């Protein structure tokens, strides 16, 4: 499985080092958020890696939803049960909750299919900041705190009409930002295709906190910093 370099599992315990989390963010997701860097003050494991590990462990179901309840920091010992039903949670060894998962329908454990699904989805996620969030901030004339540019991954769900595919691509079809004071609720709707065939749809939600009136130069600085991290990598 292509995820093997990005985690270590012993019995039911999954441990992700900062180095593994950072490598996944940059190499697989093309996500250069500094919060995933080794040594970051507010380091956390990418939500997309947690999502990916669930698919790798329990397979791809026709209908799935993921609700993130907390950020996974350094040294967190996640517990992945040997078997799960339609509703299950991912906790750590101290019973702190990090992820709610709901799944329905047929389940497939094809490694080729799961890898294609993961790579397409996380690549889409990696493009969110520059290509999706910044244009919406400009449209609504707000911005996140440039000193603490935190965007929280809240939930993701998808509904597949079929599992009869091996390769899949993802495209953004609708985006919305609802500003509520200093909070911004982002909804991204996407489609999943296998070749020319539409095989499913999905929704991702994010929360932007600490919103304030936009300052064009500071938004550009954030973009330049993010892009500079990508090009230097």
């Amino acid at each position: 499985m292509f995820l093997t370099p990005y985690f270590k599992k012993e019995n039911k315990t999954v441990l992700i080092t900062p180095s593994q989390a950072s490598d996944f963010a940059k190499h697989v997701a093309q996500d250069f958020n500094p919060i995933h860097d080794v040594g970051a003050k507010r380091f956390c494991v990418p939500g997309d890696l947690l999502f990916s590990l669930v698919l790798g462990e329990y397979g791809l179901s026709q209908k799935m939803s993921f609700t993130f309840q907390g950020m996974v920091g350094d040294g967190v010992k996640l517990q992945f049960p040997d078997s799960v039903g339609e509703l299950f949670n991912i906790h750590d060894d101290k019973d702190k909750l990090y992820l709610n998962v709901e799944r329905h329908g047929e389940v497939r454990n094809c490694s080729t299919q799961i890898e294609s699904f993961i790579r397409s989805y996380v690549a889409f996620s990696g493009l969110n900041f520059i290509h999706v969030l910044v244009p919406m901030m400009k449209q609504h004339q707000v911005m996140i705190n440039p000193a603490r540019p935190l965007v929280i991954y809240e939930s993701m769900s998808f509904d597949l009409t079929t599992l009869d595919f091996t390769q899949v691509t993802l495209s953004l079809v609708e985006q919305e930002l609802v500003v509520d004071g200093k909070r911004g609720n982002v909804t991204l709707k996407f489609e999943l295709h296998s070749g020319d065939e539409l095989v499913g749809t999905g929704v991702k939600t994010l929360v932007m906190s600490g919103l304030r009136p936009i300052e064009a130069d500071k938004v550009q600085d954030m973009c330049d910093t993010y892009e500079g991290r990508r090009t230097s990598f």
Side-chain angles (χ1 to χ4, degrees), residues 63-127:
K63 189 172 184 178
M64 301 187 78
S65 64
F66 302 79
T67 304
F68 295 88
Q69 301 290 353
M71 295 190 292
V72 179
D74 184 11
V76 172
K77 297 178 179 178
L78 299 170
Q79 305 300 298
F80 276 62
D82 290 334
S83 60
V84 295
E86 291 186 338
L87 299 170
F88 62 96
N89 301 319
I90 301 298
H91 298 83
D92 66 11
D93 59 335
K94 298 178 178 62
D95 210 32
K96 181 179 178 181
L97 177 63
Y98 290 93
L99 179 66
N100 302 121
V101 183
E102 182 173 354
R103 63 178 189 167
H104 300 282
E106 186 183 352
V107 182
R108 293 276 179 90
N109 287 283
C110 170
S111 59
T112 302
Q113 180 185 56
I114 290 172
E115 178 174 348
S116 176
F117 194 98
I118 289 171
R119 287 189 181 277
S120 294
Y121 178 71
V122 302
F124 156 73
S125 288
L127 293 173

Side-chain angles (χ1 to χ4, degrees), residues 47-204:
D48 284 340
L49 178 52
L50 192 53
F51 154 79
S52 300
L53 291 176
V54 169
L55 290 192
E57 184 74 18
Y58 304 116
L60 179 67
S61 298
Q62 278 189 275
K63 189 172 184 178
M64 301 187 78
S65 64
F66 302 79
T67 304
F68 295 88
Q69 301 290 353
M71 295 190 292
V72 179
D74 184 11
V76 172
K77 297 178 179 178
L78 299 170
Q79 305 300 298
F80 276 62
D82 290 334
S83 60
V84 295
E86 291 186 338
L87 299 170
F88 62 96
N89 301 319
I90 301 298
H91 298 83
D92 66 11
D93 59 335
K94 298 178 178 62
D95 210 32
K96 181 179 178 181
L97 177 63
Y98 290 93
L99 179 66
N100 302 121
V101 183
E102 182 173 354
R103 63 178 189 167
H104 300 282
E106 186 183 352
V107 182
R108 293 276 179 90
N109 287 283
C110 170
S111 59
T112 302
Q113 180 185 56
I114 290 172
E115 178 174 348
S116 176
F117 194 98
I118 289 171
R119 287 189 181 277
S120 294
Y121 178 71
V122 302
F124 156 73
S125 288
L127 293 173
N128 285 169
F129 181 70
I130 294 289
H131 299 279
V132 179
L133 298 185
V134 169
M136 285 198 292
M137 286 191 287
K138 290 179 178 179
Q139 177 188 349
H140 290 267
Q141 289 295 290
V142 295
M143 69 177 186
I144 54 178
N145 183 352
R148 298 177 64 189
L150 184 62
V151 179
I152 300 170
Y153 187 178
E154 188 175 56
S155 69
M156 178 270 203
S157 63
F158 60 83
D159 191 349
L160 300 170
T161 56
T162 179
L163 288 174
D164 293 330
F165 61 85
T166 52
Q167 301 294 320
V168 67
T169 57
L170 184 151
S171 58
L172 179 66
V173 294
E174 188 177 332
Q175 59 206 56
E176 181 184 42
L177 168 61
V178 176
V179 177
D180 182 11
K182 292 185 177 181
R183 176 186 172 105
N185 298 302
V186 178
T187 302
L188 307 177
K189 296 182 179 180
F190 55 88
E191 291 181 344
L192 296 148
H193 291 83
S194 178
D196 295 328
E197 181 185 1
L198 176 66
V199 296
T201 58
V203 179
K204 176 179 181 177

Side-chain angles (χ1 to χ4, degrees), residues 126 205 210:
T205 65

Side-chain angles (χ1 to χ4, degrees), residues 8-43:
K8 186 175 183 179
K9 185 179 181 185
E10 187 171 335
N11 297 321
K12 298 177 183 179
T13 299
V14 169
L15 187 65
I16 303 164
T17 67
S19 178
Q20 289 172 320
S22 181
D23 285 348
F24 177 87
K26 295 175 175 64
H27 289 281
V28 181
Q30 292 289 293
D31 180 355
F32 296 91
N33 188 332
I35 202 168
H36 305 315
D37 286 354
V38 176
K41 279 188 177 181
R42 306 177 69 197
F43 166 82

